[in-house]
């Protein structure tokens, strides 16, 4: 007999795409760390995209009822979904990830 998913077993697809999930995860992480939501410029810098691309993504997230914004108020983005459903935030494409630390001289470190 084929039953639906059992409690505690999430088998359904998230209500957002992979890219939308990254934007949502960034909004959540930024808000947690800095105590205020990101500006569109913060999203643009992190994702290395144009201002119209960020704006269109926010419009899409709002239309899908994943976020809410207050017109005319800067940094008013609010998540409307449970943060536990968000994917892990991936590093920005322009950020290099340090994989090893090597000492070059006493007291000096070289990151690689």
């Amino acid at each position: 007999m084929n039953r639906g998913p059992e409690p505690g077993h999430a088998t359904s697809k998230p209500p957002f795409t992979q890219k939308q999930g990254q934007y949502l995860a960034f909004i959540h992480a930024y808000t947690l760390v800095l105590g205020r939501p990101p500006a569109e410029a913060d999203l643009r810098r992190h994702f290395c995209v144009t201002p119209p691309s960020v704006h269109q993504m926010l419009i899409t997230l709002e239309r899908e009822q994943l976020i809410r914004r207050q017109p005319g108020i800067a940094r008013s983005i609010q998540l409307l979904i449970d943060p536990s459903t968000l994917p892990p935030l991936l590093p920005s494409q322009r950020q290099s990830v340090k994989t090893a630390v090597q000492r070059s001289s006493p007291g000096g470190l070289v990151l690689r």
Side-chain angles (χ1 to χ4, degrees), residues 91-92 94-102 109-112:
S92 172
R94 63 183 180 87
Q95 294 175 337
S96 60
V97 176
K98 307 301 183 197
T99 58
V101 176
Q102 179 182 25
L109 295 177
V110 175
L111 298 177
R112 297 186 187 251

Side-chain angles (χ1 to χ4, degrees), residues 2-20:
N2 190 6
R3 293 183 287 161
E6 294 184 25
H9 291 82
T11 58
S12 63
K13 190 173 119 180
F16 45 80
T17 67
Q18 183 177 1
K19 184 185 285 189
Q20 289 170 346

Side-chain angles (χ1 to χ4, degrees), residues 19-31:
K19 184 185 285 189
Q20 289 170 346
Q22 286 301 295
Y23 274 77
L24 294 165
F26 179 81
I27 292 165
H28 177 66
Y30 188 102
T31 303

Side-chain angles (χ1 to χ4, degrees), residues 24-79:
L24 294 165
F26 179 81
I27 292 165
H28 177 66
Y30 188 102
T31 303
L32 278 179
V33 171
L34 297 175
R36 64 181 181 181
E40 288 190 22
D42 299 316
L43 291 157
R44 180 184 53 78
R45 278 189 296 272
H46 180 78
F47 292 104
C48 303
V49 295
T50 64
S53 295
V54 169
H55 189 71
Q56 187 59 51
M57 177 59 80
L58 293 177
I59 289 171
T60 300
L61 294 174
E62 197 167 24
R63 186 179 60 238
E64 297 292 326
Q65 297 180 347
L66 299 169
I67 65 167
R68 172 180 27 220
R69 297 182 296 162
Q70 294 179 353
I73 298 178
R75 298 181 182 268
S76 64
I77 302 170
Q78 295 177 303
L79 288 182

